[in-house]
């Protein structure tokens, strides 16, 4: 398992459009990618589940993955989250 933390800096948080980009990025990896926020977890490959997490500006998020491409997947998702600010 590989994990990292990031604080959401996007002014409007991670709403539908950026969440869809995150899902697309996560689906390109052959591993399970999970986003955790405020004690709730969701697959980064599910747009609906991501939207239930409350990914607002200023919240800390843990992104972790298990599987063959875990590190690459987490780094890719974090890079995307950083660019959405």
């Amino acid at each position: 398992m590989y994990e990292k933390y990031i604080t959401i800096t996007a002014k409007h948080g991670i709403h539908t459009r950026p969440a869809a980009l995150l899902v697309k990025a996560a689906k390109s990896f052959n591993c399970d990618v999970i986003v955790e926020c405020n004690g709730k977890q969701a697959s980064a490959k599910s747009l609906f589940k991501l939207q239930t997490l409350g990914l607002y500006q200023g919240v800390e998020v843990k992104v972790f993955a298990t599987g063959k491409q875990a590190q690459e997947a987490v780094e890719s998702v974090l890079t995307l989250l950083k660019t959405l600010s």
Side-chain angles (χ1 to χ4, degrees):
M1 181 168 79
Y2 185 79
E3 67 180 51
K4 281 203 167 176
Y5 291 85
I6 189 169
T7 300
I8 302 295
T9 58
K11 183 177 179 181
H12 301 291
I14 306 302
H15 53 86
T16 305
R17 276 193 208 122
L21 295 173
L22 195 148
V23 169
K24 184 177 179 180
K27 283 185 174 182
S28 69
F29 294 97
N30 186 21
C31 61
D32 293 324
V33 184
I34 307 296
V35 177
E36 183 178 310
C37 179
N38 296 321
K40 296 190 290 184
Q41 294 182 354
S43 169
K45 296 181 179 185
S46 169
L47 180 60
F48 175 75
K49 290 182 181 180
L50 278 177
Q51 292 179 310
T52 67
L53 293 180
L55 301 173
Y56 305 110
Q57 182 182 30
V59 298
E60 185 176 59
V61 174
K62 177 171 118 175
V63 180
F64 63 98
T66 56
K68 198 173 187 178
Q69 296 179 303
Q71 184 172 351
E72 295 91 343
V74 170
E75 294 298 339
S76 176
V77 168
L78 289 177
T79 298
L80 179 62
L81 288 172
K82 288 175 188 173
T83 65
L84 296 173
S85 57

